[in-house]
Amino acid sequence: MKKTILILVLIMVVIIIGIFSFIKFNPPLVSGTIASSGDLTFVVISIGNKGFSHVKINDVLVNNNEEPQDKKIQLSNPLKGFIVADDFDGEAREYGITNIKDVLIEPNTSPSSQLDKVNNGTATEDDKSYGLSVIHNKEINMVTINYRYLGLSFENRVPINQ
């Protein structure tokens, strides 16, 4: 009886380690299209979640771990898209500008799957698209996104190429 329990416990430990290893090597937050101003002081990165649970962004940094001037999430849909703006007032408000801390990125929202829906003609206004908007006082060449998924911390570094 003790041997059977020990074997079951070992099997469970191996399964749990396997699941967490899979998640660590296949992080859920993915990025897609990047749009920017000509001087690269503001960028919008299409992001989404290819996982099966919500993603929570904890922080966004630029370049060499600098705090950007401002950062927000655009809550949109694949039919509307995103706006590249140098502030979050005026027309930008129509694109669901929201504080990062107030957003959970839903599963199955990867930018590539959203693009497939648009190309297939199956995209709707109910589909969710997320755009990470970052404004900085100098050129942005790297955006680092720190986030949590299933209790694990991740970092996604997105290079901004000219």
Side-chain angles (χ1 to χ4, degrees):
M1 180 73 171
K2 285 185 179 184
K3 202 181 253 188
T4 305
I5 292 173
L6 182 61
I7 290 173
L8 288 175
V9 168
L10 285 174
I11 290 172
M12 290 299 292
V13 168
V14 168
I15 289 172
I16 291 170
I17 290 172
I19 290 170
F20 281 110
S21 295
F22 177 79
I23 291 169
K24 266 300 198 192
F25 291 110
N26 295 293
L29 187 73
V30 291
S31 60
T33 303
I34 299 170
S36 67
S37 62
D39 62 359
L40 297 172
T41 57
F42 45 97
V43 299
V44 178
I45 304 168
S46 176
I47 59 172
N49 177 358
K50 67 178 184 177
F52 55 86
S53 183
H54 291 87
V55 165
K56 176 75 172 153
I57 296 178
N58 294 328
D59 200 11
V60 175
L61 301 170
V62 296
N63 302 337
N64 296 316
N65 293 325
E66 301 166 31
E67 188 67 36
Q69 186 177 334
D70 207 352
K71 56 195 174 194
K72 302 276 187 191
I73 291 282
Q74 293 184 42
L75 300 173
S76 189
N77 66 67
L79 299 175
K80 187 172 188 177
F82 304 114
I83 187 170
V84 178
D86 59 354
D87 65 47
F88 298 128
D89 297 320
E91 186 182 356
R93 288 187 183 159
E94 297 173 24
Y95 288 81
I97 300 294
T98 307
N99 289 324
I100 289 173
K101 301 280 186 199
D102 298 335
V103 176
L104 289 176
I105 299 174
E106 293 185 14
N108 302 313
T109 56
S110 73
S112 61
S113 68
Q114 300 294 345
L115 181 60
D116 288 344
K117 286 182 176 184
V118 170
N119 291 339
N120 295 334
T122 58
T124 70
E125 290 183 1
D126 293 331
D127 292 325
K128 293 195 174 154
S129 293
Y130 301 90
L132 176 61
S133 296
V134 183
I135 299 173
H136 198 45
N137 55 8
K138 55 187 171 185
E139 182 179 298
I140 300 170
N141 54 48
M142 178 72 69
V143 175
T144 303
I145 307 166
N146 295 300
Y147 65 98
R148 291 189 71 75
Y149 178 76
L150 296 176
L152 299 172
S153 293
F154 292 88
E155 180 178 281
N156 186 348
R157 297 174 59 83
V158 181
I160 308 300
N161 300 324
Q162 292 106 330

